[in-house]
Amino acid sequence: MSDALTVINQYACFNGTVGFYRHASQVCNCEMRFAVFVPPQAKQASVPVLYYLSGLTCTEENFTTKAGAQRYAAEYGLMLVAPDTSPRGEDVPDAEDAWDFGKGAGFYVDATESPWNQHYHMYSYVVDELPTLIHANFPVQPDRTGIFGHSMGGHGALICGLKHPDRYRSISAFAPISAPSQCQWGQKAFSGYLGTDRAAWQDYDATELIKRGARIERAILIDQGTEDTFLAQQQLLPEVFAAACEQAGQPVTLRMQPGYDHSYYFIATFIGDHIQHHAAALT
Amino acid sequence: MSDALTVINQYACFNGTVGFYRHASQVCNCEMRFAVFVPPQAKQASVPVLYYLSGLTCTEENFTTKAGAQRYAAEYGLMLVAPDTSPRGEDVPDAEDAWDFGKGAGFYVDATESPWNQHYHMYSYVVDELPTLIHANFPVQPDRTGIFGHSMGGHGALICGLKHPDRYRSISAFAPISAPSQCQWGQKAFSGYLGTDRAAWQDYDATELIKRGARIERAILIDQGTEDTFLAQQQLLPEVFAAACEQAGQPVTLRMQPGYDHSYYFIATFIGDHIQHHAAALT
């Protein structure tokens, strides 16, 4: 492991290793943390890698402790990488009293508006800097990469995957913010980080990307709980995204899961299906 | 559900339900909380029930969010019940600055020393009051009950099971405090809750119970990580318990797991084996 990376903690888990790491991020201009699950298969050979992007208020820990993903990643031989959801530290500006903007809410964009444009570059962090660091320090096959996420992180997975079909072979999402330009969370984040010119938003809106021709070969898998309060509040709009996909000929599987909400109990229930979806594309 | 029980939260999970509940406890003389996973099979018929006792500093949440147990409980059709680890509330005395005594550290005994004897009756709570409440409010088969736990809760599972082989058909533990009279954690807890007369400790020491003739028909399953720092600190002493079992003819399977520590990553790795162990006895 290079000097660029510092181990915070490592734990044996399903015959592999869960590790938490920190490093000086150039693009976010601060120290960043992420978690990795290295499956047992990586002791013998390089393995495919699957990135997970978390939702509002989360860090690299939520998915790692609550999703129950390691069991399946160990079964299929996939590495899991879970970054934090925003830049961190005392030098990083925050929105006081807001849990849906600022720290914990980077929204996977490269901010252009001051003061956010000094640190809030989660898009470039996720698609460029973090993979470069992973490829240099872990036994992965860079050409076998998938991406998934939850809520704000589902939005992140959709846009990263759709903007880079050359880098990501497979995409899936749990309850993603699917048309951020059309919901309050997205409008608040985009106007704050990107400014009020909506033309700049389109590059980070999965539904708009599909309308403008973005495609990925394999079907996108989306699970959405029917009792998710944020679905009722029109923050997620998966049906808007699915309709855009259908019109554009992008294969998508949107599964409405009766009774499920927005929590990690929902994610844990279907994480096995998602990892299987990615394994089918990556292994 | 009776008026005695208040629902705090419920979540769909693996086609069953995770619920958090609170109630006025008579034996602990305060409000208590616990978590239940009701598996999908309980929609058709009553199911066996498996109690999980948590370790120092935990509440009913740690196991429920981190162990990944619901997947297996749903597969085998077992209900899971996870109580808190001590009485709670402003009226309940606590040990300031101690994480291994007082709140979060009830040690599954009925305290006899003042001021702890007003609330700290976790033994009676686990073996009597909570099962009575569960039987009255959930579709369980009371004659098909198992118990397991982690660390302090592993100690709890061993003593509850060994003292009531009529009530518990199966016992297992992760890194249990196996001979509490012989380790610092146990000595601190027992002298505080039970007084300095060691004769009173024997009733709550699994190794002493085995020596005095306690037996359970089925083999006790214990998993212990070799890299567990508390094992090195002689707080757990599973080999002392296993030796007592061997001498007494009590079947025990002690598995030393190379590389694993004391965390929930260790528990999550082997939770499937433990639930299978209980399912073999209960279903």
Side-chain angles (χ1 to χ4, degrees):
Chain A
M1 196 157 289
S2 74
D3 293 346
L5 216 52
T6 303
V7 179
I8 301 168
N9 278 308
Q10 286 181 325
Y11 307 89
C13 185
F14 285 99
N15 204 25
T17 307
V18 166
F20 291 88
Y21 306 89
R22 58 185 167 83
H23 69 108
S25 166
Q26 300 301 312
V27 304
C28 291
N29 192 24
C30 66
E31 182 178 284
M32 292 292 288
R33 296 182 176 216
F34 61 88
V36 177
F37 173 66
V38 178
Q41 292 85 348
K43 293 167 191 165
Q44 266 73 54
S46 294
V47 295
V49 56
L50 177 56
Y51 289 82
Y52 179 91
L53 306 183
S54 290
L56 290 164
T57 76
C58 287
T59 70
E60 70 283 4
E61 282 194 38
N62 305 65
F63 169 76
T64 306
T65 58
K66 292 183 174 181
Q70 296 90 3
R71 178 202 180 285
Y72 302 98
E75 184 178 335
Y76 292 107
L78 299 182
M79 188 172 300
L80 299 172
V81 180
D84 200 351
T85 55
S86 76
R88 302 280 182 180
E90 288 183 14
D91 296 339
V92 174
D94 196 9
E96 295 300 324
D97 303 328
W99 57 269
D100 55 359
F101 191 79
K103 289 181 186 174
F107 251 87
Y108 305 103
V109 302
D110 285 348
T112 52
E113 295 292 296
S114 179
W116 315 105
N117 57 359
Q118 296 302 304
H119 298 279
Y120 285 76
H121 299 141
M122 288 302 293
Y123 177 72
S124 291
Y125 181 73
V126 167
V127 302
D128 288 327
E129 188 179 42
L130 182 59
T132 300
L133 196 68
I134 294 295
H135 300 164
N137 288 280
F138 294 89
V140 295
Q141 300 171 287
D143 61 328
R144 295 174 183 268
T145 298
I147 192 163
F148 67 154
H150 172 230
S151 195
M152 176 182 75
H155 144 73
L158 292 174
I159 62 166
C160 292
L162 287 170
K163 286 159 74 77
H164 292 288
D166 53 321
R167 301 186 197 178
Y168 301 100
R169 288 198 192 187
S170 51
I171 306 174
S172 77
F174 300 92
I177 300 173
S178 306
S181 304
Q182 301 179 45
C183 75
Q184 290 183 341
W185 277 340
Q187 290 162 359
K188 179 175 179 176
F190 285 179
S191 58
Y193 293 133
L194 304 173
T196 51
D197 180 2
R198 282 175 167 255
W201 300 6
Q202 296 189 0
D203 247 6
Y204 295 113
D205 182 310
T207 297
E208 295 301 320
L209 290 170
I210 288 288
K211 287 181 182 174
R212 289 160 58 195
R215 295 289 180 276
I216 184 166
E217 188 183 327
R218 287 180 179 77
I220 297 167
L221 172 63
I222 298 177
D223 275 311
Q224 172 64 59
T226 62
E227 303 307 308
D228 185 331
T229 53
F230 302 118
L231 179 70
Q233 292 172 17
Q234 308 271 311
Q235 297 280 25
L236 305 173
L237 303 172
E239 72 284 2
V240 172
F241 178 74
C245 286
E246 192 174 347
Q247 185 149 14
Q250 168 64 49
V252 63
T253 305
L254 170 58
R255 309 192 304 185
M256 300 303 290
Q257 301 289 3
Y260 288 88
D261 65 7
H262 203 68
S263 72
Y264 266 90
Y265 298 109
F266 158 64
I267 296 173
T269 301
F270 300 105
I271 193 82
D273 289 355
H274 283 246
I275 291 180
Q276 187 178 40
H277 167 82
H278 291 278
L282 302 178
T283 61
Chain B
M1 198 156 287
S2 75
D3 293 347
L5 216 53
T6 302
V7 179
I8 301 169
N9 279 308
Q10 286 182 324
Y11 307 89
C13 186
F14 285 98
N15 204 24
T17 308
V18 167
F20 291 87
Y21 306 89
R22 59 184 165 84
H23 70 107
S25 166
Q26 300 302 311
V27 305
C28 290
N29 192 23
C30 66
E31 182 179 284
M32 291 292 289
R33 296 181 177 217
F34 61 89
V36 177
F37 173 67
V38 178
Q41 293 84 348
K43 293 168 191 164
Q44 266 72 53
S46 293
V47 295
V49 56
L50 178 55
Y51 289 82
Y52 180 90
L53 305 182
S54 289
L56 290 164
T57 76
C58 288
T59 71
E60 69 282 4
E61 281 195 38
N62 304 65
F63 169 76
T64 306
T65 57
K66 292 184 172 180
Q70 295 90 1
R71 177 200 180 286
Y72 301 99
E75 184 179 335
Y76 291 108
L78 299 182
M79 188 172 298
L80 299 172
V81 179
D84 199 352
T85 55
S86 77
R88 301 282 182 179
E90 289 184 14
D91 296 339
V92 173
D94 195 10
E96 296 299 324
D97 303 327
W99 56 270
D100 56 359
F101 191 78
K103 289 180 186 174
F107 250 87
Y108 306 103
V109 302
D110 286 347
T112 52
E113 294 292 296
S114 180
W116 316 104
N117 56 0
Q118 295 302 303
H119 298 279
Y120 285 77
H121 298 142
M122 287 302 293
Y123 177 72
S124 290
Y125 181 73
V126 166
V127 301
D128 288 325
E129 189 180 39
L130 182 58
T132 300
L133 197 68
I134 294 294
H135 301 164
N137 288 280
F138 294 88
V140 296
Q141 300 171 289
D143 61 327
R144 294 175 183 270
T145 298
I147 192 163
F148 68 155
H150 172 230
S151 197
M152 176 183 75
H155 143 73
L158 292 174
I159 62 166
C160 293
L162 287 170
K163 285 159 74 79
H164 293 288
D166 52 322
R167 301 187 197 177
Y168 302 100
R169 288 198 193 187
S170 51
I171 306 173
S172 76
F174 300 92
I177 301 173
S178 306
S181 305
Q182 300 179 45
C183 76
Q184 290 182 341
W185 277 339
Q187 290 163 358
K188 179 175 180 176
F190 285 179
S191 58
Y193 294 132
L194 304 173
T196 51
D197 179 3
R198 284 177 165 253
W201 300 7
Q202 297 190 359
D203 248 7
Y204 295 112
D205 182 310
T207 298
E208 293 302 319
L209 290 171
I210 289 288
K211 287 182 182 173
R212 288 159 57 196
R215 295 290 179 277
I216 184 168
E217 189 183 327
R218 288 179 178 77
I220 297 166
L221 172 63
I222 298 176
D223 274 313
Q224 172 64 58
T226 62
E227 302 307 307
D228 184 331
T229 52
F230 301 117
L231 178 71
Q233 292 173 18
Q234 308 272 309
Q235 297 279 26
L236 305 174
L237 303 172
E239 72 286 1
V240 172
F241 178 74
C245 285
E246 192 173 347
Q247 185 149 15
Q250 168 65 50
V252 64
T253 305
L254 170 59
R255 308 193 305 186
M256 300 303 291
Q257 302 289 4
Y260 288 88
D261 65 9
H262 203 67
S263 71
Y264 266 90
Y265 298 109
F266 157 64
I267 295 173
T269 302
F270 300 105
I271 193 81
D273 290 354
H274 282 246
I275 290 179
Q276 186 178 42
H277 167 82
H278 291 279
L282 303 177
T283 62

